[in-house]
Amino acid sequence: MGNKYKIPYINACIRAFAKRFRLSVQSAFEYLYKFKGIHFLVEFYEIEHLQSIDDAVDDLVVCCQNNGGTLRWGYITVQMSILIFCSLTGKHICLKGKRLVSWYASEGPVI
């Protein structure tokens, strides 16, 4: 007997995948179909639906990479230096650190 929530769940995963990679839903479906992501969701539905949608999308990325897909995701950081004048000491203080600029999706390896 089929689960009435399987198709809506797979639809939600496709839409979340599309949103993460800034793809149309149709493009996301075609990519997932081509690189066995849809097959993965159908085959492992009983396990995957117990996890968050974000976890399922992470699993889809790995599954598709293992089947020849090239989409990657990560975070871009920039090095920052901030020079602050301290009125108590009369000296400048240099603060260095990293700041998250934005996430990105790309084809190819993340460096």
Side-chain angles (χ1 to χ4, degrees):
M1 184 161 159
N3 186 320
K4 70 179 183 177
Y5 299 108
K6 188 182 279 189
I7 291 174
Y9 173 78
I10 292 171
N11 185 36
C13 289
I14 294 167
R15 290 178 179 280
F17 188 90
K19 184 175 180 180
R20 179 179 293 182
F21 289 102
R22 298 180 182 172
L23 299 171
S24 69
V25 174
Q26 181 175 350
S27 294
F29 172 81
E30 290 169 358
Y31 179 86
L32 292 170
Y33 185 81
K34 179 177 181 179
F35 296 110
K36 311 292 186 221
I38 300 297
H39 177 74
F40 172 82
L41 287 174
V42 171
E43 185 174 345
F44 297 105
Y45 169 78
E46 293 300 325
I47 298 166
E48 287 293 319
H49 86 280
L50 300 173
Q51 308 298 320
S52 71
I53 296 290
D54 285 336
D55 286 345
V57 172
D58 292 341
D59 292 345
L60 285 170
V61 170
V62 172
C63 174
C64 290
Q65 287 173 356
N66 290 340
N67 288 290
T70 58
L71 281 177
R72 306 283 194 266
W73 63 279
Y75 293 91
I76 297 173
T77 57
V78 283
Q79 195 68 28
M80 295 180 59
S81 294
I82 302 171
L83 196 60
I84 299 175
F85 182 75
C86 179
S87 60
L88 294 175
T89 63
K91 296 181 180 179
H92 286 88
I93 301 168
C94 184
L95 302 176
K96 293 183 179 182
K98 290 185 177 183
R99 176 175 65 100
L100 177 67
V101 174
S102 66
W103 68 273
Y104 67 95
S106 68
E107 294 226 10
V110 174
I111 298 173

